[in-house]
Amino acid sequence: MTTHASHLRTDISGNTEDVVNRRSHEPAYEQICNLLREKISKGIYLPGSRLPSESELRRIHKVSPMTVRRAIQLLLDQGIVTTVQGSGTFVKAPDLGGATFSLNEFYDIFKDQDRAKVKLLEARTLKADADTAARLQLSEGQRVLLLRRLLLKDGDPVIFHKEYLIYDPFRPVIETELEVTTLYGLFERNGQTCLKRGNLTLEAMVLNPEEAGLLNTMPLQPAFRIEHLFYDFDETPISWGQFICRGDKLRFKTMVGFDLSR
Amino acid sequence: MTTHASHLRTDISGNTEDVVNRRSHEPAYEQICNLLREKISKGIYLPGSRLPSESELRRIHKVSPMTVRRAIQLLLDQGIVTTVQGSGTFVKAPDLGGATFSLNEFYDIFKDQDRAKVKLLEARTLKADADTAARLQLSEGQRVLLLRRLLLKDGDPVIFHKEYLIYDPFRPVIETELEVTTLYGLFERNGQTCLKRGNLTLEAMVLNPEEAGLLNTMPLQPAFRIEHLFYDFDETPISWGQFICRGDKLRFKTMVGFDLSR
DNA sequence: AAGTGGTCTAGACCACTAT
DNA sequence: TAGTGGTCTAGACCACTTT
């Protein structure tokens, strides 16, 4: 029972007090969270072991229950601990499954509008084939709008985008649609957000000669394929397509385990 | 000012009351969160627009301030809204950058130990080359342990794993190390967690003849490459290596935007 | 000045787990 | 039964934005 308290007292880092610093602009719950995370990262609280109970933490740091709970909520959000009602709060072991790759790395490529330019290769209507019709919930043969774009970064082609859009002759989005030269506003057609959600899948692929030609590289080079299917607020499919991104231009990075810097 | 209130009153779904259901086992903050999310997903609160203020929500749902704050905290965690102090809570527009791919799909492949088997191809010590030494913070020529494993799912090879481990003759982890036949306990060497954190990078690649042979497929097929660098609690690099996963066996899925089901 | 979100208190009661 | 985490209250004060 006094184990935790002695841990706290024998903490080497004399610079961090256990009683929260009220003068600091850092909120109390954040201070407590960081203190606990530091101890976990140092191995003072090992994976699988129990953290001091909320009432103990309350006494140690001289704060109210809600403040302690917020600190622990933060640790929960960060995937560092798990709580078991009636039992305690336990340090999680890091696991590979918890890692996530953010599309930010991909998105960043065409986010800065100075260096990235979009070239429209093709824009025409055609009759939907079986695949496209199924994806967009149309009947085969209905007309869809095909867009093919190339995204250039510093003049080099990096991403090839092919997209089939619902074609509604009564809603002439087409003209403004073609003006999309940044891909930045993919969710902001006609000036306002009309897309509600989308499904994305990420695959590894090998470039065929046509794709390689477009992307100014050699065939048989590796690439990422990101397929998308966007829906509007009526749950109607609006757009189906894919981004093909040169493998040598994109790399997803992430961390697993305890990250002190966060 | 009364706009939001009228929105609430004109809500079509008569089944959901605005006053929280105290009899329900679903916590009040979750009910409020879901109610708001439903309205956002229906387009009643459009991206960019302001949600009712916390005091309004407090009056509407007849709850205390903390309860409303928790509901909004949930929406924040889910990336659905942003808050601006002194101004309000606003519906976020969905953006591609917010999407994340979980490594769960990858991890799942060798998680169920019935269908997945690990075959140890090679285990030997060798002198570290420049790359390996740099990664593991050793000097070139120091001995490291090389492990090469093949992961089979239902008898088919799916993932090839090559790993360089710090070789410490005084700590004979080697024997138990070789017993790792599931990759499940990658973080649990010697029965207890000794790895603290790891860096991962995901790349697209094309299989060379050797890799294709190991993975029982054809050369020039697409694949994912996941490079890893694991550290222990001393911040010492312990393991550097890569997983090569057949592209046709792995596909990352995710969603972007408003997901009601979550 | 009025309204908004952000932090925090000092309790209460409940559900669950250990013993 | 005692201890744990989970929910919730009814306020307080602060920092900030809007008007």
Side-chain angles (χ1 to χ4, degrees), chain A residues 101-109 158 202 223-224 226 245-254, chain B residues 135 200-205 224-228 240 242:
Chain A
F101 293 104
S102 160
L103 260 186
N104 262 320
E105 272 111 335
F106 170 75
Y107 202 44
D108 283 348
I109 293 180
V158 175
L202 174 70
F224 284 109
I226 299 177
C245 182
R246 279 176 57 171
D248 59 334
K249 297 290 188 183
L250 182 59
R251 179 181 283 212
F252 296 98
K253 290 178 201 201
T254 194
Chain B
R135 251 49 173 257
L200 304 173
T201 66
L202 174 70
E203 291 169 298
M205 64 171 289
F224 284 108
R225 179 170 176 276
I226 300 177
E227 187 179 324
H228 67 255
W240 173 57
Q242 61 179 20

Side-chain angles (χ1 to χ4, degrees), chain A residues 57 66 71 81 84 104 120 132 155-156 170 195 201 219 240 250 261:
Chain A
L57 290 170
M66 282 305 299
V81 301
V84 181
N104 262 320
L120 186 63
T132 313
D156 272 348
F170 297 105
L195 293 182
T201 66
W240 173 57
L250 182 59
S261 66

